Amino acid sequence: MKKLLVIALLSASLLTIAQENSDSYVADHYTKREVHIRMRDGAELYTAIYSPKDLSVKYPMVMQRTPYDCSPYGPDQFPNSIGPDATMMKEGYIVVYQDVRGRYMSDGTYDNMRAYIPNKKNKSQVDEASDTYDTIDWLVKNVPNNNGNVGIWGISYPGFYASYSLIDSHPALKAVSPQACIADFFFDDFHHNGAYLLSYWKVTPLFGPQKKERTTADWFSFPKVPSKDDYQFFLDVGPLKNLDTYLQPDDEFWAQLKTHVKYDEFWQKRGLLQHLRNTKPAVMFVGGWFDAEDLYGPLNSYRTVEKNSKTYNTLVMGPWSHGDWARNNPEQIIGNINFGKDISKFFQENIEAKFFRHFLKEGGKGPSGLPEAYVFDTGRKEWNTFDSWPPQATQKETYFLDGGSLSRETPIVFTPMEFVSDPNRPVPSTEDIQQKGLTPRKYMTDDQRFAARRPDVLVFDMPVLEEDVTLAGDILAKLQVATTGTDADWIVKLIDVFPADEPETKEVAPYLRMSNYHMLVRSEVMRGRFRDSFSDPKPFVPNQPTEVDVKLQDVFHTFKKGHRIQIQIQSTWFPLIDRNPQTYVENIFYAEPEAFKKQLHRVFGNSTIEFTVLK
């Protein structure tokens, strides 16, 4: 069950529990074949191939490569569903799943976010691009009744492998859909701008210990946390180094996290963005506006391909958390907010299936019928289409963060605001008191009133809007700050404040009301030591005014008439991110308890925030 939970939370690839009965759709309509495909260096990768029983036509292949397993294993074992979605499963595709190198039933050593090797010299130099190429080459030559066209899709880590397939792609690869794809591990998942995402610590063993042989069973174990209150658990644990006792001693990934605490060569060479150039297959990047895990990846991968390649390239962003678009929820609800009915079904039937059908079954001839950008307005709760993303009809508007107000007018006198930040009493990232799952999700739309009422959170409000305002693109906070310490985190949150007469909904938690609800729309952290360079951290000079830029990922959100736009600024966000000691230490993973000290922080009135506004 634990493995299935991981798959559901992190990859969303096989979303149903495997079943053995013969009356499932897959078992009735597909045959299954299990093979080990030999790579150029001799390693063999386990591959499951599901082929339609109807042999009257030839079928394209769609493939997913995953580190999360290809269960159910066994030639007579079938899952409830296969492929990206039910529409495609019933249209007929040859569906392929593969355990990547070093995972489950595949040979070799696993390398977390394996680095790409350009200009390979010999067959011993392998990476995920070469493994994908070798796999496709074998499939088109050895799988009966295929039409020679291959597509790849994947969500989360499988999305990373999907993006990877764009590099040195096989000629038969015609369509790729990286979804919630990791683009760079220093800015996705476990890190945000140099801050460690403590909320992901529980899943560390997924990527750490190496297996010793081919296996269908997990060889890793998740930490046993004694408390059902994550905030208190991590606070009681103290410095990060005390978490060692909860993990297996051979957890390589934990050792990597603790060793590579800046954007050094280890992380840089594992990034994909620098290699997404002159890509050939058609590509559709998919992401969720409220994806707490991988929002950076799809947005920045789309931009990179758009800039550096001439291929068909499109972007889909919906009101989803991680992997929601692959589920069949009749209503799309995140936390207390309901975004509408059958949103994922609409995507599967009218966007995803159309993309693969056009390029794999129709040869990519003529218009695809899809726009450049299919994006969901999370304020109006409706789909929009654009010829580019961000839309061309946008402009930058700068607002001053001065004395608690958010104004376009340059203040006559800049009014600084200050607060005491205490790492031993950090601002919670949610007001819920419970043991969280393996990764956080709900907080992305949480009510922020609890934070606004704390003295260590600064609040900047715009007057009540007299007309709708739509933000469509990125957000840049240019903070002018000072601290009595030598290090600090700076967290910026964009909030939609609902009016007092906002109607109640059935989704809202019993302890909340929609009246004056403070909906989190976007948020980001910048670890202050990295303000000038992610590879060359440096301390603050105490009490010296310093510029810290915090870039927030794109939004597409309409703040309606009668609402207010609010910005909150704070320096702790726990246990979403780890605690910054606020005194500079070379490696926070080895900080001692006495390093964690409260400091006075100032945000000066000449600080600004730049919005991308749709006109």
Side-chain angles (χ1 to χ4, degrees):
M1 284 302 295
K2 189 172 288 185
K3 184 194 299 181
L4 293 170
L5 176 62
V6 170
I7 292 171
L9 286 173
L10 294 178
S11 72
S13 55
L14 297 175
L15 298 172
T16 53
I17 299 175
Q19 67 178 29
E20 297 181 10
N21 57 42
S22 61
D23 62 354
S24 73
Y25 185 91
V26 181
D28 287 347
H29 293 83
Y30 286 82
T31 60
K32 183 179 180 181
R33 177 185 176 193
E34 294 182 312
V35 298
H36 276 85
I37 299 177
R38 188 177 183 85
M39 301 293 104
R40 63 190 64 181
D41 67 337
E44 295 184 346
L45 305 188
Y46 169 88
T47 309
I49 305 166
Y50 297 87
S51 299
K53 290 181 178 180
D54 180 0
L55 303 179
S56 62
V57 297
K58 291 188 175 183
Y59 300 94
M61 289 182 278
V62 289
M63 177 171 67
Q64 179 182 104
R65 305 185 68 242
T66 178
Y68 296 136
D69 86 26
C70 295
S71 63
Y73 294 96
D76 59 346
Q77 302 298 304
F78 291 83
N80 283 335
S81 63
I82 56 174
D85 59 62
T87 299
M88 291 180 61
M89 178 179 68
K90 293 180 180 180
E91 281 187 5
Y93 288 81
I94 298 168
V95 182
V96 180
Y97 293 93
Q98 184 176 77
D99 287 333
V100 298
R101 182 179 292 261
R103 299 295 280 187
Y104 290 94
M105 289 294 287
S106 286
D107 298 339
T109 300
Y110 176 65
D111 190 346
N112 197 13
M113 308 292 288
R114 190 184 303 274
Y116 167 65
I117 304 172
N119 305 314
K120 298 175 182 62
K121 305 298 183 187
N122 52 61
K123 291 184 177 181
S124 66
Q125 290 189 310
V126 294
D127 53 26
E128 305 303 339
S130 66
D131 282 354
T132 306
Y133 189 102
D134 293 351
T135 298
I136 293 175
D137 198 60
W138 187 94
L139 289 171
V140 296
K141 293 175 181 176
N142 293 279
V143 175
N145 219 42
N146 82 82
N147 73 354
N149 293 333
V150 179
I152 291 181
W153 94 100
I155 300 173
S156 192
Y157 213 142
F160 165 79
Y161 294 114
S163 292
Y164 218 131
S165 73
L166 295 168
I167 305 169
D168 297 339
S169 60
H170 192 282
L173 183 60
K174 304 299 184 183
V176 178
S177 184
Q179 305 179 1
C181 49
I182 306 164
D184 193 310
F185 237 20
F186 202 73
F187 303 98
D188 270 322
D189 279 317
F190 288 85
H191 294 99
H192 278 212
N193 294 327
Y196 171 59
L197 271 286
L198 182 61
S199 52
Y200 291 82
W201 170 78
K202 293 178 186 176
V203 302
T204 306
L206 264 176
F207 314 109
Q210 295 282 350
K211 67 181 180 68
K212 295 180 173 57
E213 58 188 2
R214 293 179 181 178
T215 179
T216 61
D218 294 341
W219 59 96
F220 51 83
S221 60
F222 294 106
K224 293 180 173 59
V225 176
S227 173
K228 293 184 179 180
D229 180 348
D230 276 355
Y231 182 100
Q232 198 61 48
F233 166 72
F234 285 112
L235 198 60
D236 290 344
V237 163
L240 291 174
K241 64 177 184 175
N242 295 340
L243 290 171
D244 289 2
T245 58
Y246 292 90
L247 297 175
Q248 295 167 247
D250 60 345
D251 195 313
E252 293 180 8
F253 185 44
W254 181 237
Q256 292 166 350
L257 288 169
K258 293 191 298 180
T259 303
H260 302 283
V261 294
K262 59 184 179 180
Y263 195 47
D264 58 12
E265 183 183 7
F266 178 84
W267 296 116
Q268 291 174 21
K269 69 181 183 180
R270 281 165 166 74
L272 288 185
L273 296 180
Q274 64 266 37
H275 304 301
L276 294 179
R277 297 178 177 274
N278 301 315
T279 59
K280 300 298 190 295
V283 59
M284 180 177 71
F285 291 100
V286 181
W289 288 127
F290 303 108
D291 188 343
E293 299 178 39
D294 300 304
L295 181 61
Y296 174 93
L299 289 169
N300 287 279
S301 297
Y302 163 78
R303 285 194 182 96
T304 302
V305 171
E306 192 69 11
K307 179 180 179 182
N308 298 318
S309 301
K310 296 181 180 180
T311 189
Y312 178 97
N313 180 39
T314 188
L315 175 71
V316 182
M317 296 295 295
W320 298 304
S321 66
H322 196 61
D324 283 348
W325 51 91
R327 302 183 177 99
N328 295 311
N329 300 325
E331 294 184 288
Q332 179 57 29
I333 301 170
I334 300 179
N336 303 298
I337 308 297
N338 189 330
F339 291 96
K341 297 181 181 297
D342 295 326
I343 294 174
S344 295
K345 181 181 179 182
F346 174 84
F347 162 75
Q348 294 168 22
E349 294 179 353
N350 298 288
I351 302 176
E352 184 172 52
K354 181 181 287 188
F355 170 77
F356 282 112
R357 185 187 309 122
H358 179 71
F359 289 102
L360 300 183
K361 292 193 171 189
E362 299 170 354
K365 298 176 181 177
S368 69
L370 294 171
E372 175 75 13
Y374 226 133
V375 289
F376 193 92
D377 185 327
T378 55
R380 287 201 176 103
K381 301 182 181 179
E382 62 185 24
W383 285 104
N384 285 253
T385 61
F386 296 102
D387 294 332
S388 64
W389 184 261
Q392 293 182 355
T394 59
Q395 67 182 39
K396 301 292 186 180
E397 292 187 358
T398 299
Y399 289 77
F400 286 91
L401 300 166
D402 182 70
S405 68
L406 191 61
S407 173
R408 295 196 70 185
E409 300 296 327
T410 304
I412 298 175
V413 177
F414 291 115
T415 307
M417 297 184 72
E418 61 184 34
F419 62 98
V420 174
S421 176
D422 186 353
N424 295 308
R425 192 176 176 271
V427 178
S429 47
T430 176
E431 60 184 330
D432 296 341
I433 304 299
Q434 64 184 53
Q435 185 179 29
K436 297 297 179 186
L438 294 176
T439 54
R441 292 190 178 183
K442 174 181 174 291
Y443 85 92
M444 293 286 283
T445 64
D446 263 355
D447 187 1
Q448 298 299 304
R449 277 175 285 195
F450 76 96
R453 293 164 181 169
R454 283 184 58 119
D456 48 359
V457 177
L458 301 183
V459 177
F460 302 86
D461 278 313
M462 193 180 292
V464 174
L465 296 174
E466 296 181 356
E467 59 183 19
D468 291 356
V469 174
T470 300
L471 303 188
D474 62 6
I475 299 162
L476 178 63
K478 298 180 74 66
L479 305 182
Q480 302 293 332
V481 301
T483 174
T484 54
T486 50
D487 199 5
D489 291 341
W490 302 94
I491 294 113
V492 177
K493 300 188 295 190
L494 170 67
I495 293 157
D496 185 344
V497 180
F498 292 13
D501 61 355
E502 183 74 15
E504 298 300 331
T505 65
K506 65 180 185 300
E507 292 81 24
V508 70
Y511 58 88
L512 292 174
R513 294 292 181 269
M514 294 309 294
S515 175
N516 297 121
Y517 190 90
H518 285 38
M519 175 185 165
L520 186 63
V521 176
R522 184 64 70 240
S523 52
E524 193 55 276
V525 57
M526 169 59 74
R527 180 137 289 173
R529 61 176 59 201
F530 296 112
R531 63 195 179 275
D532 293 330
S533 168
F534 289 111
S535 58
D536 185 21
K538 63 182 180 182
F540 285 86
V541 176
N543 298 311
Q544 177 175 298
T546 306
E547 181 173 318
V548 177
D549 291 350
V550 185
K551 183 179 179 181
L552 285 70
Q553 299 301 327
D554 294 14
V555 299
F556 184 38
H557 186 88
T558 295
F559 294 79
K560 293 182 178 180
K561 177 182 177 180
H563 290 225
R564 283 186 291 121
I565 300 175
Q566 183 182 96
I567 296 293
Q568 292 183 9
I569 296 177
Q570 58 201 61
S571 286
T572 52
W573 206 17
F574 190 76
L576 183 66
I577 63 170
D578 67 313
R579 295 177 302 138
N580 189 323
Q582 302 188 153
T583 54
Y584 190 89
V585 295
E586 290 297 325
N587 188 334
I588 291 178
F589 280 88
Y590 293 97
E592 297 293 342
E594 55 269 22
F596 293 80
K597 296 179 180 179
K598 65 173 65 174
Q599 305 289 355
L600 178 68
H601 296 338
R602 289 186 175 88
V603 176
F604 298 101
N606 56 340
S607 299
T608 62
I609 188 157
E610 182 184 81
F611 295 133
T612 306
V613 182
L614 183 65
K615 295 299 182 181

